[in-house]
Amino acid sequence: MADGGFDSDGRSYNNAHDLWAEEIGGGEEEKRVWYNKGISYWQSVEASMDGVLGGFGHLNETDVKGNCGSGVGRVTKNLLLRYFNEVDLVEPVKHLLEAAHGSLASENNMIEDAHKAVNFYCLPLQEFTPEVGRYDVIWIQWCIGQLTDDDFIAFFERAKAGFKPHGFFFLKENFAKAGFVYDKEDHSITRSIRYFKDLFEKCGLHVIDIKCQEDFPGELFAVKMFALEPEETKQTTESMAEKQSIKHVTDKRKRFSGGRKKKQSNMPAVIK
C-alpha cells in the first residue's frame, strides 16, 4: 500500500507499512496489546444505538435503508431477519452482545419461526472462523477497520469456506478520500477505496458492486458498501455462463439447420 495517511493526533505516515511498524512492530504481543486497546474503548460504550453509532443513533433508519460486527443487533433486527432464516452474530464486547441477545430473543418470539437469530459468538473478528458451508451471506459492517492488514486478509481467506454455493460478502465501512486515517482513540483504521481494493486483491476477492451510503451528515466519513465474491466463484460463474452461451448457440444452429445435412453456401435456404 503506497499511499500515505495520518492519525487522529495529526501525525503523518509515508505509507501503511510505516503505521503498522509503529503501532504493532512485528510481534504477536504488540498486536495483542493493540487489539485490547480497541476492545477497551468499546467496553466503555453504552449498549444502545446512540452508543454504537457514536452519538448518531438517529441515523439508524437511514443506515438500514441504505443497506442492500453485530454491535447491539440493530442491523440483524431491522434488516437481516427480514430476508434470512437464520442469522449468527459475532461481537467481541460482551455487554454489547448481551444487549443484542436480549433484543433479538424477544424479536424471535414475535416473528415466524423461520427467521431467527441463532448463534451469538463473543469473539473478535480476527479469531472467528465460520462454520464450513453454512452461510449465503457474510455481513461485515463497521468492524473491519479494527483489523490489521494481515488479519483482514486472513479473516476473508478463512471466511470463504463458510459459504454455501454462490455465497458472497457484504462489507459496509467508512472510507478515507486517500491513503488512510488512524483513530488513536478506538484503534481503528479508515482506509481509502484504493487501499480496500488492494487488500481485496490479496484476499482473492472480486468486487461485484460498490454503492455509496446517502443522506449521512457531511461531517462524518463517507460510507461505501461493497458486494464481494471469491475469485473462484466468479470464475466458476463465468465458466458456467460460457458453457450456457455455447450450448445456446449450438441449439440455435440445430434449430436453423433442422438437423439436415449442411447445404452448400450457394444454395438458397429458408430459415424457419
Side-chain angles (χ1 to χ4, degrees):
M1 181 61 212
D3 293 343
F6 58 92
D7 65 26
S8 52
D9 289 340
R11 178 178 176 180
S12 297
Y13 299 85
N14 292 326
N15 51 54
H17 179 271
D18 287 353
L19 166 68
W20 296 123
E22 173 72 20
E23 289 297 317
I24 61 174
E28 288 302 312
E29 177 60 22
E30 289 89 343
K31 184 188 285 189
R32 185 187 66 79
V33 170
W34 187 81
Y35 276 127
N36 284 344
K37 288 178 180 178
I39 293 292
S40 294
Y41 170 83
W42 288 105
Q43 285 173 337
S44 68
V45 168
E46 181 183 278
S48 65
M49 287 188 188
D50 239 19
V52 298
L53 290 175
F56 289 88
H58 61 281
L59 293 178
N60 176 64
E61 185 176 350
T62 304
D63 170 46
V64 172
K65 284 183 178 179
N67 285 331
C68 282
S70 67
V72 293
R74 62 182 190 86
V75 175
T76 301
K77 181 176 182 178
N78 295 306
L79 179 71
L80 300 180
L81 285 178
R82 300 178 187 177
Y83 300 100
F84 298 98
N85 292 340
E86 294 185 352
V87 179
D88 295 341
L89 291 86
V90 180
E91 169 57 56
V93 180
K94 186 177 179 181
H95 78 284
L96 297 182
L97 191 66
E98 288 174 346
H101 187 275
S103 172
L104 294 169
S106 60
E107 188 75 9
N108 284 347
N109 294 328
M110 297 173 62
I111 59 178
E112 54 186 281
D113 290 340
H115 299 267
K116 283 193 173 184
V118 177
N119 296 307
F120 296 77
Y121 298 103
C122 192
L123 283 171
L125 207 57
Q126 70 272 16
E127 295 179 15
F128 177 67
T129 300
E131 179 184 333
V132 174
R134 173 163 171 75
Y135 301 104
D136 294 296
V137 171
I138 295 178
W139 192 284
I140 307 152
Q141 180 164 344
W142 285 327
C143 59
I144 205 71
Q146 303 292 153
L147 267 58
T148 61
D149 290 355
D150 56 344
D151 282 334
F152 181 116
I153 295 166
F155 166 73
F156 278 105
E157 288 179 342
R158 290 195 312 274
K160 290 178 196 176
F163 284 134
K164 296 177 181 178
H166 307 295
F168 67 94
F169 295 105
F170 187 97
L171 174 67
K172 184 169 186 175
E173 193 56 76
N174 298 341
F175 77 97
K177 291 182 179 179
F180 58 87
V181 179
Y182 171 52
D183 188 326
K184 300 196 74 170
E185 183 179 18
D186 68 3
H187 288 263
S188 68
I189 181 168
T190 301
R191 300 171 169 98
S192 66
I193 294 295
R194 179 178 171 183
Y195 197 154
F196 271 118
K197 287 185 175 180
D198 181 60
L199 290 177
F200 293 154
E201 184 177 351
K202 292 177 180 177
C203 295
L205 296 175
H206 167 66
V207 179
I208 303 170
D209 199 7
I210 305 175
K211 291 188 181 296
C212 186
Q213 169 70 52
E214 298 179 352
D215 301 323
F216 270 17
E219 68 267 26
L220 299 181
F221 279 113
V223 175
K224 292 284 188 183
M225 298 168 278
F226 301 86
L228 306 156
E229 66 180 351
E231 278 292 345
E232 49 267 37
T233 301
K234 175 178 177 283
Q235 292 167 6
T236 301
T237 302
E238 288 177 346
S239 177
M240 291 176 62
E242 185 178 357
K243 288 178 180 179
Q244 286 286 77
S245 178
I246 292 171
K247 183 177 184 300
H248 174 72
V249 171
T250 302
D251 290 346
K252 193 172 182 181
R253 285 174 178 169
K254 285 180 179 179
R255 290 197 301 272
F256 285 171
S257 67
R260 297 187 294 273
K261 292 183 179 179
K262 184 178 178 182
K263 296 178 181 295
Q264 295 182 10
S265 60
N266 62 346
M267 295 182 65
V270 176
I271 299 177
K272 298 181 179 179

